[in-house]
Structure formats: structure tokens, C-alpha cells
């Protein structure tokens, strides 16, 4: 099972939007609506930001939104803030009771 | 409030077996839909899902590591144990356990994570 493909980096100025892609196959991202996104600050544990493609857990700002088209899922952070600077990982159910994470994207707030 | 904490050795030798314990509070692993998973992260690298155990003792393993992994639960102690055999230096990583709520967050979404424990494999 190969890792989902994410761009290594993305950036934006405060107040702008940044979108991160997560590309898989029809056996994972494209086949199920079980895509999650995690935010990880340096030295910290990941935090669930989006589940089931576009749903936000309680407490996650609505600046964070998720979507999916075909085999590619996306996370958009609107109104970028300094605290959004972190690594972001996507994850997808991959069938046969298996799960796969993405390669990770470092978001920089300029 | 849900919390999880990993414990185990910080250093293991190649070929040895690693045993990690996840001790949790704030939920019961006998509640329908609840699971606890293990995820690892080598230094500077991406996350990798390892295993997941559900309230009904259903167990799931990463296909690439399935032959080396065993996950068990002790509901009375609020603990989940992961064993990984034949450790190799490439297994050096931070190992996390995390709560999974199948009925609330869908398959393989982990909403609460432990702080992680760093394991180094070296002779």
C-alpha cells in the first residue's frame, strides 16, 4: 500500500487561503468517503482537523474545510493565521480494513 | 476528558521484540464503536498506521507489517498493548496510540492522540 501523495510544502500570507492536495487511487481516496486530515506542530502529536472528507470535529475553526474530487482530496485553510503553520497529513481508508497516510505537507505562513 | 499515554522501552536492540502499552482514561474500550490504534512516525518522516483494535476485539493490521504485529486489549485495566517482533533500526520512530470513534468519526479517524513515545532501535 503506497502512501498518499501530498505536496511537500505550501505557503500563504496571513489572511490568505492555502489548499493542500492529497492524491490517491480508486482503492483509497476515490473509493471511500473516509478521508481525514491532521495538523501537527513540531514536537507535538497530530490533531484531527477533518474527518469523512469534509466534517469538522468540535472545536476546529470553520477556516478549515475539506473536499474530494475523484482520487484527490483537498484541505483548504482560509484566513491563514500564524498558528496554522504546521505539518498537515491526510489519511484514507484503503479497503480490506487498511488505512494509509499521506506524505505530509509543511504549511508556512509568510 | 479522553487521555491516552504510551509507555515502553526507549531503546531496543535489533531482532528484539518491542512491547508498548497504551493506558487510557475517559472512555471504555467495551463501548460499541470505540477503538484504539497505533501509529508511528520516524524522525522527520510521515505518519504510518500500524494497528487498530475495536471494542468487540476485532483487530486490524497494516498489511506490510502484519506478520510482526500483535495488538491486544485489557478492558479492565484500560490498556492496549502492541507488540512488534524482529525490530530493526528502520523501526526507530515515535509511536503514538490514539482513540478511534467509528460511529462518530468514521473508519480509521483518530480524534484523540497520546503524546507519543520515542523508540530507538540500535545495538
Amino acid at each position: 500500500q503506497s502512501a498518499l501523495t501530498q505536496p511537500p510544502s505550501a505557503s500563504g500570507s496571513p489572511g490568505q487561503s492555502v489548499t493542500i492536495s492529497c492524491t490517491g487511487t480508486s482503492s483509497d481516496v476515490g473509493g471511500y468517503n473516509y478521508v481525514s486530515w491532521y495538523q501537527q506542530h513540531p514536537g507535538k502529536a497530530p490533531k484531527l482537523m477533518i474527518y469523512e472528507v469534509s466534517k469538522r470535529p468540535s472545536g476546529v475553526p470553520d477556516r478549515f474545510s475539506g473536499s474530494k474530487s475523484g482520487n484527490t482530496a483537498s484541505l483548504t485553510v482560509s484566513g491563514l493565521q500564524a498558528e496554522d503553520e504546521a505539518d498537515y497529513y491526510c489519511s484514507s481508508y484503503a479497503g480490506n480494513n487498511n488505512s494509509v497516510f499521506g506524505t505530509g505537507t509543511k504549511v508556512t505562513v509568510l | 476528558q479522553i487521555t491516552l499515554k504510551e509507555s515502553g522501552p526507549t531503546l531496543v536492540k535489533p531482532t528484539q521484540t518491542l512491547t508498548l502499552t497504551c493506558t487510557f482514561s475517559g472512555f471504555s474500550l467495551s463501548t460499541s464503536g470505540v477503538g484504539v490504534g497505533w501509529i508511528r512516525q520516524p524522525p522527520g518522516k510521515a505518519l504510518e498506521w500500524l494497528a487498530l483494535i475495536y471494542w468487540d476485539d476485532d483487530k486490524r493490521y497494516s498489511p506490510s507489517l502484519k506478520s510482526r504485529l500483535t495488538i491486544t486489549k485489557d478492558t479492565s485495566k484500560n490498556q492496549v498493548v502492541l507488540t512488534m517482533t524482529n525490530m530493526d533500526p528502520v523501526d526507530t520512530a515515535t509511536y503514538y496510540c490514539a482513540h478511534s470513534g467509528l460511529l462518530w468519526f468514521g473508519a480509521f479517524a483518530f480524534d484523540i492522540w497520546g503524546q507519543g513515545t520515542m523508540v530507538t532501535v540500535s545495538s
Side-chain angles (χ1 to χ4, degrees), chain A residues 34 36 38 40 44-48 51-52 57 89 91 93 97-104, chain B residues 39 41 45-49 60-63 96 104-111 113-115:
Chain A
Y34 290 125
S36 304
Y38 299 87
Q40 186 180 34
K44 301 296 185 182
K47 175 186 177 182
L48 180 66
Y51 66 98
E52 291 183 341
Y89 293 92
S91 174
Y93 179 63
N97 296 302
N98 183 28
S99 178
V100 61
F101 279 94
T103 51
Chain B
I39 303 98
Q41 184 174 37
K45 296 188 177 181
L47 300 167
E48 179 183 17
W49 171 72
R60 305 295 179 218
Y61 297 101
S62 167
Y96 296 98
W104 303 273
F105 301 106
F108 291 89
F110 300 100
D111 62 312
W113 294 57
Q115 63 187 25

Side-chain angles (χ1 to χ4, degrees), chain A residues 27-40:
Chain A
S27 296
D28 39 61
V29 174
Y32 308 93
N33 287 323
Y34 290 125
V35 176
S36 304
W37 287 91
Y38 299 87
Q39 177 191 65
Q40 186 180 34

